[in-house]
Amino acid sequence: AAPAAPLTAAAPSPSPSTDRKLRVLLAEDTPANVIIAKSFLTRLGHSVRHAGNGREALELLAREDFDLVLMDVEMPGMDGLTATRLLRGGEAGERNRQVVVLAMTAHALESFRKQCEEAGMNGFLPKPVGFQTLADALASLPLPPAAGEGSSQPGQPDLADLDRASEMLGGQEELLADVVRYYLGDLPEKRRLLADALERGDLAALRLTAHSLKSTSASVGAAAASRAARVLEELADAALTNPFPANPALAKPAPPDPALASHLLAARPELAAALASLDALLEETQAALAQACDERFCRL
């Protein structure tokens, strides 16, 4: 999901302490930083779980409930940007899909902060993170209420925003109906092409199809599917550059080879995970679009 606001460092709060005790996931690979952050968070009264990289973070996010993720941007195996994109795309399921994610980074460039925002992060903490900076940031977060304090219904992904789609088309309802009709008619073939490309190890076809779905999904107001397609496109693009990161002998890009497909999936498990997430979203999107059009009197 898109961040709640443009990425900025949390404003200092005159009263950083809070009675709300948070369940925090700390995704950080540097041992010294882990020790310091855990000490700070415990001192503030919060509980902490630790993940050493983005993949471990997603596994924990799929199994446990969290109020906040402190995500290091640069980690081995899977970085924080990729992990956040996959989280927002549904890779870890629905339970933490909308959880607040703060980037922890020493990068101060505005362009880098923009990357964090586009990945779905809600803010950032500049490294090295000091105790008061962390306390102030946590006190100023727009966190959801704890269980029993009000509604705890998780935010639903934006599967079919026809108002937004209509606005992009200049309010032309007949054109909107045609575009949605084409999108839904083409969706089964696009899903088949994605599965086939991954099975054959055809990274170029995988990237191209994901790129197409990113654009067409956005045009019908299926923002969640568009984001998930973008994640797959970027992963496929990275794999095209270096398909076998752990095996330099296989690092040179080559034409699709079914014999190498199984090796590719083993070396790049995030590709299969991203495709599975996208495919599940596309199925939800198909049903949501059909229902939304029914309510809007689209004749499909």
Side-chain angles (χ1 to χ4, degrees):
L7 278 184
T8 56
S13 165
S15 180
S17 61
T18 174
D19 292 335
R20 175 78 191 276
K21 305 310 175 187
L22 305 177
R23 295 159 296 180
V24 181
L25 174 59
L26 172 66
E28 168 67 65
D29 67 302
T30 304
N33 291 343
V34 173
I35 292 171
I36 293 169
K38 278 188 171 182
S39 173
F40 287 174
L41 289 164
T42 302
R43 181 178 165 189
L44 289 166
H46 307 307
S47 62
V48 191
R49 293 280 275 148
H50 172 244
N53 58 44
R55 175 54 60 189
E56 291 179 12
L58 289 174
E59 290 171 357
L60 283 171
L61 286 161
R63 299 196 306 264
E64 303 177 25
D65 293 319
F66 292 97
D67 300 301
L68 170 69
V69 180
L70 299 179
M71 185 78 77
D72 184 21
V73 172
E74 296 176 334
M75 294 180 287
M78 180 183 290
D79 62 64
L81 293 175
T82 300
T84 304
R85 290 189 193 102
L86 289 172
L87 171 66
R88 299 310 191 203
E91 165 71 4
E94 293 299 322
R95 68 190 308 163
N96 289 300
R97 192 168 181 171
Q98 309 298 330
V99 70
V100 173
V101 178
L102 295 185
M104 296 191 297
T105 175
H107 292 279
L109 293 177
E110 186 62 32
S111 59
F112 190 82
R113 293 179 184 176
K114 184 66 174 175
Q115 290 181 47
C116 294
E117 182 179 354
E118 290 174 348
M121 292 175 166
N122 302 84
F124 74 94
L125 287 170
K127 283 187 170 183
V129 180
F131 176 79
Q132 194 60 45
T133 299
L134 179 62
D136 290 340
L138 299 191
S140 66
L141 288 176
L143 294 166
E149 293 178 8
S151 173
S152 60
Q153 284 291 330
Q156 293 299 311
D158 37 346
L159 295 173
D161 187 349
L162 291 186
D163 288 335
R164 172 63 178 154
S166 178
E167 180 184 332
M168 288 190 293
L169 295 173
Q172 300 182 66
E173 291 291 301
E174 290 185 9
L175 177 58
L176 173 62
D178 287 341
V179 170
V180 173
R181 184 184 300 113
Y182 176 83
Y183 177 84
L184 291 176
D186 188 51
L187 207 50
E189 176 66 6
K190 283 289 195 294
R191 294 172 68 184
R192 186 194 67 77
L193 288 173
L194 287 172
D196 182 63
L198 187 63
E199 183 179 353
R200 292 185 296 109
D202 190 343
L203 293 170
L206 190 67
R207 179 181 63 178
L208 182 63
T209 307
H211 177 79
S212 174
L213 270 170
K214 177 183 70 174
S215 174
T216 56
S217 296
S219 72
V220 296
S226 179
R227 286 193 297 271
R230 184 183 68 186
V231 169
L232 181 59
E233 178 192 11
E234 291 176 354
L235 290 173
D237 188 56
L240 269 171
T241 303
N242 184 12
F244 303 101
N247 191 340
L250 297 175
K252 184 178 180 181
D257 182 353
L260 290 178
S262 61
H263 297 292
L264 173 66
L265 291 178
R268 293 284 188 174
E270 64 269 23
L271 284 171
L275 176 54
S277 175
L278 172 59
D279 193 65
L281 258 178
L282 290 174
E283 188 168 343
E284 293 179 54
T285 297
Q286 183 172 356
L289 272 175
Q291 179 181 349
C293 275
D294 246 6
E295 295 169 356
R296 204 180 183 96
F297 308 111
C298 289
R299 303 303 180 191
L300 298 177

